[in-house]
Amino acid sequence: MKLDILAIGAHPDDVELGCGATLAKEIAMGKKVGILDLTQGEMGTRGTPGIRKIEATNAAHVLGVQFRENLYLPDGFVENTKSYQMALLKVIRTYKPDIVLTNAIDDRHPDHSRASQLTETACFLSGLRKIETTVDNKKQEAWRPKHIYHYIQWKNLIPDFVVDVSGFLDQKMKSVLAYKSQFYDKTNEEPNTPISTQNFVESIQSRARDLGRLIGTAAGEGFMTSQYVAVKKLDDLL
């Protein structure tokens, strides 16, 4: 299956929090989208890998993605190493996405920035023909995504561009709240975390609405890139 967009997250729920509304909008426009979680989030204070797998499946269903997979890297210890690069490279070559969305360039959780670096490196290496890989005893073709964009997470980073996601914020929030073990739930008796508060859930909505305000729409999601953002003509910009 060739994808239009592959969204990568260090942990289950990273993608929903960072770019869930953008994915929902792209899927509504007919794009083929997949999600790849790098870890199971097994080091998280709340929930278990089994619970988070069920929640991730439910969230993926809410967004309507084509598939969701996990690379099973160790949570808390994501690194930009050769073995991890090769594992991610194989996924990129399998699904041949034109666009890759991945973790924030700089963030509170160290896995996030390291995952963003890992993704950048793997996407580049995936385009090198002299790196030979096989899946199910079949040689893979080299493939380099056209674009890599980094969504924004805990830190309020200044985006390089903002996607108008008006009409898709509710769907994003439904996918986020599919992770009942992680986010605000007054019936949950597990220890509190920075993301389990009602304030955090409200901040996700307020950020989207504020970014929308800044671009003259109802809601927005911001992205950063290490590349240039090109337009064919000035009125391509809102």
Side-chain angles (χ1 to χ4, degrees), residues 104-172:
I105 292 173
D106 177 36
D107 211 40
R108 171 178 172 269
H109 197 304
D111 271 353
H112 294 171
S113 60
R114 294 194 298 243
S116 75
Q117 295 164 6
L118 171 61
T119 301
E120 291 263 6
T121 304
C123 285
F124 181 84
L125 295 177
S126 181
L128 300 180
R129 288 178 170 80
K130 290 186 177 180
I131 296 179
E132 297 184 0
T133 55
T134 59
V135 172
D136 296 330
N137 296 317
K138 294 182 180 179
K139 184 177 178 180
Q140 292 185 298
E141 296 179 355
W143 180 267
R144 184 173 294 149
K146 295 177 182 177
H147 306 289
I148 305 168
Y149 301 133
H150 302 263
Y151 45 82
I152 294 172
Q153 298 185 257
W154 181 269
K155 293 184 178 180
N156 287 321
L157 305 179
I158 298 174
D160 292 315
F161 65 92
V162 178
V163 176
D164 174 15
V165 294
S166 302
F168 293 91
L169 182 55
D170 287 346
Q171 190 174 353
K172 170 194 175 87

Side-chain angles (χ1 to χ4, degrees), residues 146-147 149 160-161 225-231:
K146 295 177 182 177
H147 306 289
Y149 301 133
D160 292 315
F161 65 92
T225 178
S226 59
Q227 306 165 333
Y228 285 104
V229 176
V231 296

Side-chain angles (χ1 to χ4, degrees), residues 45-91:
T45 301
R46 295 157 65 103
T48 65
I51 289 172
R52 295 190 74 169
K53 182 177 181 179
I54 294 171
E55 293 171 341
T57 300
N58 292 339
H61 179 72
V62 170
L63 294 177
V65 300
Q66 299 291 317
F67 80 93
R68 184 171 208 145
E69 294 181 1
N70 199 300
L71 209 55
Y72 299 105
L73 302 185
D75 185 16
F77 300 93
V78 173
E79 297 285 353
N80 190 15
T81 63
K82 181 178 179 180
S83 62
Y84 295 170
Q85 291 161 8
M86 293 300 292
L88 181 51
L89 181 156
K90 287 185 177 182
V91 177

Side-chain angles (χ1 to χ4, degrees), residues 3 21-22 27 40 46 68 74-75 81 90 93 98 117 129 138 152 155 179 181 185 189 196 205 218 231:
L3 294 177
T22 298
I27 291 166
Q40 300 176 84
R46 295 157 65 103
R68 184 171 208 145
D75 185 16
T81 63
K90 287 185 177 182
R93 288 182 172 181
D98 294 317
Q117 295 164 6
R129 288 178 170 80
K138 294 182 180 179
I152 294 172
K155 293 184 178 180
Y179 293 90
S181 70
D185 179 357
E189 297 182 354
S196 69
Q205 296 173 300
V231 296

